[in-house]
Amino acid sequence: MSNPNELTHEARASGSAREEPSAHPFREMLKTVVARPEFVSFLALILLTLFTAYYVDFSHDGPGRFLTLDNLTNITRQVAVTSILAVGMTFVILTGGIDLSVGAVVALTSTLMAGAIIGGAPFWGACGIALLVGIACGAFSGFFVARFSLPAIIVTLAMMEMARGLGLLYSGGNPLPISFEFGFLARNFTVNGFPVPIPTLIMLAMFLIGYVILNRLPIGRYIYAVGGNEEAAILSGIRTRHIKMFVYVVSGFMAAVAGIIQTARVTSGQPNSAIGFELDAIAAVVLGGTSIAGGRGHIVGTLIGALLLGVLNNALNMLEISPYTQRVVKGVVILIAVLIGVLRKKK
Amino acid sequence: MLEMKHITKRFPGVVALSDISLSLNSGEVHALVGENGAGKSTLMKVLNGVYQADEGQIFIDGKTVHPRNTREAQHLGISIIFQEFSLVPYLNAYENIFLGRELLTRLGMVNYSAMREKAGSALEAMNVSLPLDKPVAELTVAEQQFVEIAKATLFKCSYLVLDEPSATLTPLEVEKLFEVIRRLQSQGVGCFYISHHLEEIYEIADTVSVLRDGQHVFTGPISSCSQDELITKMVGREVTQAFPPKRAPEAISREAVLEVKALKFEKSEMLSFQVRKGEILGVAGLVGARRTESFLALIGRDHATHKEVLLNGKPCRISSPAAALEQGIGYLPEDRKKSGLFLQFSIRSNIVISNFDKLKGMFGFVSNKKESDLSAYYVDRMRIRTTTDRKMISELSGGNQQKAIIARWLATRCQVLIFDEPTRGIDVGAKAEIYLMLQELADEGLGIVVISSDLPEVVGIADRILVMRYGSIRAELSGKDIDSEKIMYYAAGGE
């Protein structure tokens, strides 16, 4: 549980902004936006983009490479898989849980999907299998977390091992290549000669689904309630076990969607792929201002967090910074962003 | 000798302790009695350094002392054993006793054998034997208490405070506890003994002091004051709250909306009672009476070993609070912050959270319009003072927060509403409004249960009262029989 005093504090801070006389509705809105926890990451995203554009594009002659439509759509393609995982992860973290299994579930669903296609199943049938397996994995974790109140970190760690192991068992440890034509989900969809990556479209669709569930359906409110004050939620007549089950199922489903895209990208099922993706997903959620203790956060923040990680990755590549240094930078960025978030909350 | 002189302690909005002077001699057992909330625990926390007195001083053997925290108080020889023990459940007895001041070998390693030996001899000096090597979680409550006491004596404690030590003990264990206290007494330890159980006080105490509403009412030798006189001193306060006039008992229907035929949980006897249509049923009792536990078992939050409930004459199964709510039984928790509020939500969200079934619009989405209408209606009806219901609930005063939670349950349209301490920690004005609301709800034909530790409150609003003690219902009072002294008599163990 998070510290209730802390909650009060933050709520006061954000609330007091609203109490000012509303003579300037625009200024009011601005204040509300600035007070949001994901604002730090949003600012970082803008600054990073400007900085990189300056160094990569404007300080050299010739055509720019960073601030081009091509590169920017490419970034969204690159972040699609982890962002989709982050959608599910947002659900889980909002209830105060965590799902470490999603990377392994991506690999498992991808392997099974490729196996099904090799075995002669139609493409969409194989996708269906992947989704069912993802949902089953989520339901498995959800069952143990909800029914027996086991710590989510342990249950999903176990799920991670099992999913990884099952993928390896099924494939014998080898990649299962499928025909190149099945890679169309990873390619572009052309609108008026303007190429839009299909993974980007799927990612946006998943964010939209997540947004609608969390903000427009009762179950969304219950998810926040469970993470905010579980005892109050129980006594308010919320079936908290069902809610917990649901968020892990969503996470499993999102992992399967990510697995389908992953399969299309590499036109094979690779049992050793997607290692550590769960950590990128968690990083995106946390950068997006969602409280790791649950109960507070927003899915739009997750999108910002995921884009920040994507742009950072892309920018560091263009600045020709070594992959080793990149990881150090990524770690520092996560730490600073969260630190600023906490310090702002304390004020 | 330990003396507290003119101790005053204020909290925002209330004077918790007002000019209290008490003293404790070496070798004396000094009982401290009073209703829940009279200020006994607050006073002990001042003694213990948890709170600092706003006025007044503490003297030990004539010298002023200023304990600023528990540790300093311990160094001054003052130890307190609270209702909730401060033991680490997974450590064994001697690890707990020496926690934070472990004995070390010359190499700086923890010297377990020396610790075990010393702890053993301290317990022996108390004439207590208990398994030293088991995690304390596996000990009985009484044994855990002895571990606490041993911990205090090893601190060279000369003044010991026991806060409700017997609340969860069996009669045999209480005897053993008294034996230990007498032994300490003979060694010159002075002891403040806080208890609700008056017959125990007559057995163990030399002196008794009564606190009421933060005032010091009486101090004298225990032999100078009968149990009845003591009760009068404890409850004899003027009723200052405005209660709505009660209805004539004949006006209330005899028809039960909720009939609990049999209810039993681990720490209770078989309970049975009715909640009638249109009545306010008060549930009174002291700390350890298990009133809250009984109703949590009833609504399916806690496990009941036996449960037979009729709702409107039909048997019903209540497996969870959600099921209870579906069938029209709502429970408002006693601890607003811990189990009532969603502090990160707005007032509106706090009200509607249990009522989404009424707010469905297109495609099962939450209809904004219905949501704001429902919330606006109850903000108005409960007279919640706020500019907008989009405000964070944490910005409201305690009284208005409580009204918002009541609104949440009113909106569910339950037929039975159980209010656990509905006015704890809120101001007089809001209290009066809540009493009026309870009366209105009863008039509408709901069955209202009010669990309250505030005696004048239950007396002032209830049509009928159940008095509980140690998980059993000791008395049922109604009409003219309802008065504070009778309730206190049964609650404290009278037959």
Side-chain angles (χ1 to χ4, degrees), chain A residues 22 98-99 138 167 214 223 243 256 261 268 300 316 326 331-332:
Chain A
S22 52
I98 196 139
D99 190 349
L214 286 176
I223 288 169
I243 305 298
I261 296 177
S268 61
V300 174
L316 293 175
Q326 286 191 18
V332 169

Side-chain angles (χ1 to χ4, degrees), chain B residues 23-66:
Chain B
S23 63
L24 178 65
N25 290 314
S26 299
E28 178 191 25
V29 175
H30 189 146
L32 210 51
V33 299
E35 274 187 84
N36 299 333
K40 297 164 294 186
S41 293
T42 311
L43 183 65
M44 292 304 118
K45 281 181 179 162
V46 168
L47 185 60
N48 186 21
V50 173
Y51 297 144
Q52 311 302 312
D54 295 319
E55 285 162 38
Q57 280 177 310
I58 302 170
F59 299 86
I60 289 180
D61 298 329
K63 272 181 282 193
T64 58
V65 293
H66 303 280

Side-chain angles (χ1 to χ4, degrees), chain A residues 79-99:
Chain A
V79 300
V81 169
T82 49
S83 312
I84 290 169
L85 296 179
V87 172
M89 193 67 77
T90 307
F91 277 66
V92 174
I93 289 180
L94 278 175
T95 64
I98 196 139
D99 190 349

Side-chain angles (χ1 to χ4, degrees), chain A residues 216 228-229 231-232 236 239, chain B residues 301 326 341 344 354 366 408:
Chain A
R216 302 298 301 142
N229 189 342
E231 185 60 26
S236 300
R239 296 186 190 274
Chain B
R301 174 67 189 105
E326 272 165 22
L341 294 170
Q344 78 281 29
S354 299
V366 180
R408 181 193 301 163

Side-chain angles (χ1 to χ4, degrees), chain A residues 4-5 7-8 11-12 14-16 18-19 212 215-218 221-222 224-239 294-296, chain B residues 296 299 301 320-323 325-326 331 333 337-345 349 352-354 356 364-366 368 371 390-392 394-395 408-409:
Chain A
N5 295 328
L7 295 181
T8 326
R12 278 212 189 101
S14 64
S16 60
R18 227 169 297 148
E19 268 193 354
V212 169
N215 295 286
R216 302 298 301 142
L217 293 180
R221 218 73 72 83
Y222 297 156
Y224 281 88
V226 167
N229 189 342
E230 189 171 349
E231 185 60 26
I234 293 172
L235 293 174
S236 300
I238 295 169
R239 296 186 190 274
R296 198 176 18 214
Chain B
L296 287 178
I299 62 161
R301 174 67 189 105
S320 67
L325 210 58
E326 272 165 22
Y331 168 84
K337 282 237 159 67
K338 216 177 97 208
S339 33
L341 294 170
F342 297 98
L343 283 169
Q344 78 281 29
F345 282 8
S349 297
V352 302
I353 188 77
S354 299
F356 281 113
F365 288 2
V366 180
N368 267 331
E371 187 181 354
R390 305 310 300 256
K391 230 193 222 177
M392 286 291 150
S394 53
E395 292 177 62
R408 181 193 301 163
W409 267 276

